[in-house]
Amino acid sequence: MAEGLVNSLHSKVLLAKSAGTKPGAVHPLAIRAMGELGIDISSQVSKGLDVFEGQEFDHVVMVCSNAAEICPFFPGSKEQIHHAFDDPTSVGGSEEEMLQAFRKSRDEVDKWIIDNLVLPNE
């Protein structure tokens, strides 16, 4: 969701590339929650960290609770940031309750991006 938010809403100042420690399919409820904002992430592909090995980044942002312990060091990055967000896939309940968790995560991630990464003159 973070990649979709950055590249759709903040592309004038940021370019996001995302990877995970356990790549898998993009969750259908993530696709649905992002679609509510008019952002289509259905063609995004979950990638492993090895895809970006050796590349340079201004910011490396780790967003899950255990990523700081298991993510590799990115020597070419200017800044490495760890900010844990609740994992919406860990929420049980009805489909609507689970969708609400994805909406909450989506909104929290976007607010964090704006507060921490987006330049004031965007």
Side-chain angles (χ1 to χ4, degrees):
M1 287 192 298
E3 179 180 359
L5 287 164
V6 167
N7 293 337
S8 293
L9 302 178
H10 310 293
S11 62
K12 290 181 182 176
V13 293
L14 297 170
L15 170 66
K17 298 179 181 183
S18 64
T21 57
K22 298 178 188 173
V26 178
H27 198 287
L29 291 177
I31 294 169
R32 193 165 149 193
M34 295 296 288
E36 293 174 351
L37 298 181
I39 300 171
D40 182 7
I41 63 169
S42 63
S43 63
Q44 284 184 200
V45 178
S46 179
K47 300 167 285 296
L49 296 168
D50 59 323
V51 172
F52 300 114
E53 194 170 314
Q55 293 185 34
E56 293 186 10
F57 297 94
D58 290 331
H59 311 283
V60 173
V61 180
M62 295 167 275
V63 298
C64 61
S65 59
N66 64 347
E69 293 82 34
I70 59 178
C71 282
F73 175 69
F74 285 85
S77 70
K78 295 177 184 171
E79 179 179 30
Q80 293 193 56
I81 304 163
H82 179 255
H83 184 85
F85 293 94
D86 292 335
D87 181 358
T89 64
S90 67
V91 174
S94 69
E95 183 173 329
E96 184 57 35
E97 290 168 323
M98 292 167 40
L99 178 58
Q100 193 59 30
F102 277 89
R103 288 174 179 142
K104 180 178 183 257
S105 290
R106 172 199 68 199
D107 296 344
E108 288 175 354
V109 168
D110 192 43
K111 181 179 181 339
W112 186 89
I113 291 167
I114 291 167
D115 291 347
N116 294 278
L117 299 178
V118 175
L119 301 173
N121 63 350
E122 178 190 22

